[in-house]
Amino acid sequence: MMDQIQATIITIGDELLIGQVIDTNSAFIAQKLNSIGVDVHQRIAVGDDKASITAALDTAINNTQIVIITGGLGPTADDITKPLLNQYFGGKMIIDQPTLDHISYIFEQVHKRPMIERNRKQAEVPDVCEVLFNQSGTAPGMLFKKNNSLIFSLPGVPHEMKWLMTEHVIPRIKSHFKTTPIAHRTLLTAGIGESFLAEL
């Protein structure tokens, strides 16, 4: 029997750890992975801290073939995921022109306001990743490879993450790995307590 392909979900953001924001991204990602036969081995939540993110990456890459990271890709000072990934995978930052064109269009044509340097920096990506074009927002997704693992970095904004998961992440996983279906069986009971049911 083929070994089950396993994944780790890493969510990044201080706002998740203090309960300011409820993590709905992990549930969506887990459901999408499960639907194609990928078993979620673990979910790790970390703050906007380099050491914590690096440790989570080390653990995930050592234990699973797929790592999906969400968060930390925005234009503010606490969004440290991209430069950290650049350093972790030994790359250098470059401008992704299709992403820059898309960001320019959003600001100048859709929002009718000038684009500032912080917005332009969102088009910077490590040269060691495959850029996952984000039609739903300004932060591109990224795909890295290490030790036969696929490491995806996605924005934390739910509608952007969902679009990238559906359009980029799932197709790449399916083309890279041969997965086996995961079957779930749910039994509905009524009129009996849990402990009595366990005895039966």
Side-chain angles (χ1 to χ4, degrees):
M1 182 179 169
M2 183 188 299
D3 289 337
Q4 191 73 49
I5 301 298
Q6 294 190 315
T8 297
I9 300 170
I10 302 174
T11 53
I12 297 173
D14 291 340
E15 66 277 7
L16 297 171
L17 296 183
I18 65 173
Q20 186 179 34
V21 173
I22 303 298
D23 175 22
T24 57
N25 284 351
S26 290
F28 179 86
I29 292 168
Q31 289 166 3
K32 294 295 281 188
L33 292 173
N34 201 255
S35 72
I36 62 166
V38 175
D39 176 48
V40 176
H41 173 69
Q42 58 186 345
R43 290 164 50 175
I44 306 172
V46 295
D48 298 301
D49 173 73
K50 288 183 180 180
S52 299
I53 298 169
T54 300
L57 272 168
D58 288 341
T59 299
I61 292 170
N62 285 334
N63 293 333
T64 54
Q65 301 97 323
I66 298 165
V67 182
I68 300 181
I69 307 162
T70 65
L73 298 182
T76 57
D78 63 336
D79 290 312
I80 62 171
T81 302
K82 195 161 32 176
L84 186 148
L85 290 173
N86 181 56
Q87 183 178 9
Y88 188 89
F89 291 104
K92 66 174 191 244
M93 299 299 282
I94 59 171
I95 290 285
D96 179 61
Q97 193 60 47
T99 298
L100 182 59
D101 293 343
H102 180 61
I103 295 170
S104 299
Y105 170 77
I106 288 175
F107 277 90
E108 294 166 10
Q109 303 298 318
V110 179
H111 296 306
K112 305 292 185 188
R113 62 183 181 216
M115 183 174 68
I116 62 175
E117 183 59 24
R118 264 184 204 275
N119 304 125
R120 188 178 187 279
K121 283 187 76 67
Q122 288 204 277
E124 290 184 356
V125 294
D127 62 352
V128 289
C129 79
E130 177 188 346
V131 178
L132 308 178
F133 181 72
N134 181 6
Q135 188 173 305
S136 288
T138 56
M142 296 172 286
L143 167 60
F144 301 86
K145 296 178 182 177
K146 184 177 182 180
N147 299 350
N148 203 36
S149 292
L150 301 182
I151 301 97
F152 297 91
S153 177
L154 308 177
V157 180
H159 78 269
E160 296 184 33
M161 175 278 299
K162 290 176 180 179
W163 191 88
L164 284 162
M165 274 297 296
T166 303
E167 299 298 324
H168 289 293
V169 177
I170 295 301
R172 279 164 176 77
I173 291 173
K174 288 171 73 175
S175 68
H176 190 82
F177 296 106
K178 186 172 178 59
T179 60
T180 54
I182 299 173
H184 296 275
R185 184 170 295 167
T186 303
L187 301 178
L188 300 178
T189 63
I192 185 172
E194 186 178 359
S195 56
F196 295 100
L197 190 63
E199 286 294 312
L200 296 175

